[in-house]
């Protein structure tokens, strides 16, 4: 629909101050009907209140506090989160504050009273289901960690109960997991000294140990000393995680890229699976975190005939039984869905029954090499706090590398599954609270003979599928495991080890993400290479070194992407003012002769400024006849002091080569930094613009003006004379001014000449005229002359009489001035300079009219006031205090010897008459305040 400006003004009563009726819609004739829709803007007070609430603006009514007090407040907010507002604090009583703090510290006080009967039933079923599942899994994972099987049950009891009190996720199942168990074994299995395990070091026949004992490792030889070391490691895991939660360091997990984590997880899963093959083959091999050593030991035992086929056969059968139960429950969830979480319990029960049958169990154990787990201690876990506190000082350096890796991987696994399930329920999971809850679970769990725990993918998925609603499900799981510790040990001593190996292998098979590697190969080759490096590093360099390689590769990628940001060359889309990346889109664009437009794709700081500068200079060298470089800085959100120096050097270096640099689309944060550093003043305000189109147009106008001025100087301002003493020719300007002043005058002449040029599209006829500009400048000049005649010594103009609502000559003047501003490269926030003289050449002029773009707002034009200290602030204060108008810069520039600033302010009332009245009041108030 075509909008006609005159009709729009008439509808708002801008011509005669009356409200004109709006035309009714009609389909007759060639003209379309005009529909006027008011923009639903909020008032200044409402908008300011919302900005204060979002923390984007300071509250003007808030009292100013000292620097130390403000720093303490910021530190408290950082550690504890944002506090409530002052009004909320006044309305909240002391008991309510205590209750709120208690609920924040113990989330169970919040969800437990709200638990309904149906929710309690759902959590009870889910907790019992996960409890049945975690018993065989935890014992399997304890064997991976090199501990006795009972420690897996201990780690499934106390930490699970602790998380139920402090955690917020109702579906996250906390307990032993495969990856953390492998990290514990890889980091601590050889950490005991000779004084702590003399039996291992006194046995000088490693070959006999390898062929003899069922567990000939250092941890297997001295299980109690090794367990004490694991308790200390769990203590430090809890300290690290809880401390990171207090300091809000959970964001550090984001530095681990998905490809390297996927590669590390896949390599660790294969290492875990290979370590369980000895139970399938009924052999004893030394534990190793290196894939090739485990494969070599297995092949050696098999070739020597030490392997047994019966446990391997039973292991394969139970594996496919477990897999079949999962597939059956997935394909027919209504009928067999209940069997999916019970799969491990089913195969454990069948295997245990097989070993209990008289005659059959003894035959399998004695003649076919089927190993059983043996006696498991019964009763509640022992209290290990004294042992932990005793060993913490001496074992800190030994266990810290393992504790850091376990804390990192454990939290990553927990928050990944927790957020995934929370998103399915439309909920938000606080990473900081979860990190603190898991940290407390590990910290308190170390006092009850546990080992590091985390959120389990498989058990959390089961809890979610069985209807868990609140952390009550985890509390039920922990109590069920406690009951199992008292009842089960006497019954499960004949449980075969191949069943536990089957459960582990079935769990880790899904972690080998070969499909993800294929996807990365198709999407991005660099991510695929990261995946392969992390995968092979974990397999052949060990789990800990594999994790270090994965973290190192992630940091290298972050640094590489940051140090070498993308620098794109832009061209203009034909017929538009849009500049787009040359590599983007299929349709070709157009380059502007003599102007190179580039975009910097990241923030500028000390590590990447050299690359940015060198790349821009190299592009200028490659593009012939480059006289101007426009740098589009939309992606640049911050600059440091090194970047500021680089920008100044870039301007200077390019000017020595005859190339001017122009910055466009600078964000408010970066612009404020440039202003405080004085970069705009040093480099020239005219080289900073609000968008690329304006910057390119200014460059073209500047080139034309520079050519005209240089040609005039060469023709008119130079004469050739002969120096008598040297017999040579020298050039002498007609003026007696110094060369520096002449250069300054020449630059000013170029800017003045550039303001008189117009840039039009090639092939399009320019319909514009300079008549409106001439009228505008003449109108201002006439007003100044009349004012000077009446009072030559006056600095302040007398208050103007109240004019009629938006007179035609005033509106034409404002439109012409705005056209001059736009053509002169006016930048937002008043970035352009004012007149060079200490005092303005004419008294200040203030014009206020209704804005053409938003007729319910005032557009204020201030001429020759920008160079007076404090005037801009005074104008804002006057309008805010006397008329309740919020003022902001719109455009500013220098036209000839006149400095012109455009301002916008919202009026408290709508309608043409109210706007005109407010504009008239503003014209009276501002000159009086000056």
């Amino acid at each position: 629909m075509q909008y006609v400006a005159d009709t729009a003004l008439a509808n708002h009563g801008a011509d005669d101050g009356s409200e004109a009726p709006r035309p009714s819609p009609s389909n007759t004739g060639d003209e379309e009907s005009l529909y006027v829709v008011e923009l639903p803007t909020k008032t200044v007070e409402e908008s300011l209140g919302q900005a204060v609430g979002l923390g984007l603006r300071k509250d003007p009514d808030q009292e100013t506090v000292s620097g130390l007090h403000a720093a303490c407040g910021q530190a408290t907010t950082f550690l504890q989160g944002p506090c409530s507002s002052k009004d909320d604090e006044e309305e909240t009583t002391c008991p309510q504050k205590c209750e709120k703090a208690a609920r924040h510290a113990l989330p169970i006080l919040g969800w437990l009273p709200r638990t309904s009967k149906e929710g309690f039933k759902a959590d009870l079923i889910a907790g019992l289901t996960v409890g049945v599942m975690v018993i065989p899994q935890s014992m399997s994972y304890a064997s991976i960690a090199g501990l006795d099987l009972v420690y897996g049950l201990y780690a499934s009891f106390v930490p699970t109960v602790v998380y139920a009190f402090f955690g917020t996720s109702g579906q996250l199942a906390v307990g032993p997991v495969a990856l953390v168990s492998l990290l514990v074994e890889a980091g601590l299995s050889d950490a005991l000294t000779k004084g702590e395990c003399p039996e291992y070091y006194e046995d000088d026949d490693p070959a006999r140990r390898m062929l003899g004992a069922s567990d000939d490792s250092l941890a297997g030889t001295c299980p109690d000393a090794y367990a004490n070391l694991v308790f200390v490691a769990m203590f430090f895991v809890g300290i690290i995680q809880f401390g990171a939660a207090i300091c809000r360091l959970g964001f550090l997990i984001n530095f681990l890229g998905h490809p390297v984590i996927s590669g590390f997880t896949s390599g660790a899963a294969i290492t875990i699976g290979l370590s369980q093959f000895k139970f399938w083959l009924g052999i004893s091999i030394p534990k190793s975190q290196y894939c090739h050593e485990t494969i070599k030991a297995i092949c050696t035992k098999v070739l020597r005939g030490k392997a047994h086929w019966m446990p391997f056969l039973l292991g394969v059968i139970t594996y496919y039984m477990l897999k079949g139960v999962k597939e059956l429950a997935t394909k027919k969830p209504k009928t067999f869905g209940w069997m999916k979480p019970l799969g491990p319990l089913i195969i454990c029960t069948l295997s245990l029954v097989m070993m209990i049958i008289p005659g059959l169990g003894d035959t399998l154990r004695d003649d076919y090499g089927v190993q059983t787990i043996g006696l498991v201690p019964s009763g509640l876990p022992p209290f290990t706090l004294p042992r932990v506190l005793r060993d913490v000082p001496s074992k800190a350096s030994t266990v810290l590398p393992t504790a850091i890796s376990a804390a990192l991987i454990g939290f990553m696994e927990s928050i990944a599954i927790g957020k995934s399930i929370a998103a399915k329920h439309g909920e938000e999971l606080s990473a900081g609270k979860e990190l603190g809850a898991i940290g407390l679970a590990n910290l308190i769990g170390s006092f009850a003979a546990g080992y590091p725990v985390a959120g389990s993918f498989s058990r959390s998925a089961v809890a979610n599928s069985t209807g868990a609603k609140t952390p009550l499900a985890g509390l039920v799981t922990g109590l069920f495991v406690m009951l199992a510790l008292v009842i089960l040990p006497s019954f499960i001593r004949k449980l075969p080890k191949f069943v536990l190996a089957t459960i582990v292998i079935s769990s880790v098979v899904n972690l080998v993400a070969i499909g993800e590697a294929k996807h990365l190969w198709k999407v991005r080759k660099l991510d695929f290479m990261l995946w392969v490096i992390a995968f092979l590093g974990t397999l052949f360099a060990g789990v800990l070194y594999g994790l270090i390689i994965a973290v190192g590769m992630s940091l290298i990628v972050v640094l590489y992407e940051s140090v070498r940001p993308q620098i794109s060359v832009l061209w203009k889309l034909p017929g538009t003012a849009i500049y787009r990346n040359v590599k983007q889109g299929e349709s070709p664009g157009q380059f502007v002769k003599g102007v190179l437009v580039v975009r910097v794709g990241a923030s500028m700081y000390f590590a990447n400024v050299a690359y940015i500068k060198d790349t821009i200079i190299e592009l200028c060298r490659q593009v012939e006849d480059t006289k101007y470089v426009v740098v589009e800085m939309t992606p640049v959100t911050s600059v440091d002091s090194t970047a500021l120096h680089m920008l100044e050097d870039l301007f200077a270096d390019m000017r020595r080569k005859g190339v001017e640099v122009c910055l466009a689309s600078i964000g408010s944060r970066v612009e404020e930094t440039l202003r405080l550093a004085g970069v705009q003043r040093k480099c020239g305000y005219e080289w900073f613009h609000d968008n690329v189109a304006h910057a390119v147009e200014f460059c073209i106008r500047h080139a034309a003006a520079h050519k005209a001025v240089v040609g005039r100087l060469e023709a008119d301002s130079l004469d050739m004379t002969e120096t008598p003493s040297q017999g040579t020719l020298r050039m002498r300007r007609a003026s007696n001014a110094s060369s520096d002043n002449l250069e300054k005058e020449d630059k000013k002449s170029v800017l003045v000449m550039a303001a008189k040029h117009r840039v039009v599209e090639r092939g399009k006829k320019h319909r514009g005229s300079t008549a409106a500009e001439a009228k505008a400048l003449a109108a201002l000049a006439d007003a100044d002359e009349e004012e000077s005649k009446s009072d030559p010594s006056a600095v302040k103009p007398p208050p103007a009489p109240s004019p009629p609502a938006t007179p035609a000559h005033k509106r034409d003047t404002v439109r012409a001035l705005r056209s001059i501003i736009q053509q002169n490269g006016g930048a937002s926030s008043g970035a352009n300079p004012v007149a060079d003289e200490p005092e303005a050449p004419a008294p200040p002029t203030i014009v206020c009219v209704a804005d053409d773009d938003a007729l319910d707002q005032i557009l204020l034009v201030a001429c020759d006031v920008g160079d007076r200290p404090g005037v801009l602030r005074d104008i804002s204060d006057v309008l805010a205090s006397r008329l309740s108008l919020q003022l902001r810069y719109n455009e500013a520039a220098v036209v000839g010897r006149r400095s012109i600033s455009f301002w916008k302010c919202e009026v408290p009332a709508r309608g043409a008459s109210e706007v005109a009245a407010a504009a008239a009041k503003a014209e009276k108030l501002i000159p009086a305040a000056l």
Side-chain angles (χ1 to χ4, degrees), residues 259-272:
V260 294
I261 290 300
S262 178
F264 165 76
T265 303
S266 301
I270 293 178
T271 303
I272 293 171

Side-chain angles (χ1 to χ4, degrees), residues 127-174:
L128 293 175
T129 304
V130 175
V132 170
M133 183 180 181
V134 74
I135 291 175
Q137 270 194 353
S138 62
M139 292 191 295
S140 303
Y141 295 153
S143 66
I144 296 176
L147 294 165
D148 291 339
L149 302 183
V150 71
Y151 290 108
L153 298 177
Y154 293 160
S156 302
F157 166 41
V158 175
T160 304
V161 174
V162 172
Y163 178 81
F165 280 83
F166 297 96
T168 58
S169 175
Q171 296 80 27
L172 186 64
V174 174

Side-chain angles (χ1 to χ4, degrees), residues 683-703:
C683 300
Y685 291 93
E686 64 273 11
W687 300 108
F688 296 82
H689 294 268
D690 56 349
N691 58 62
V692 176
H694 288 175
V696 173
E697 289 181 4
F698 176 77
C699 291
I700 298 301
R701 291 189 284 109
H702 186 272

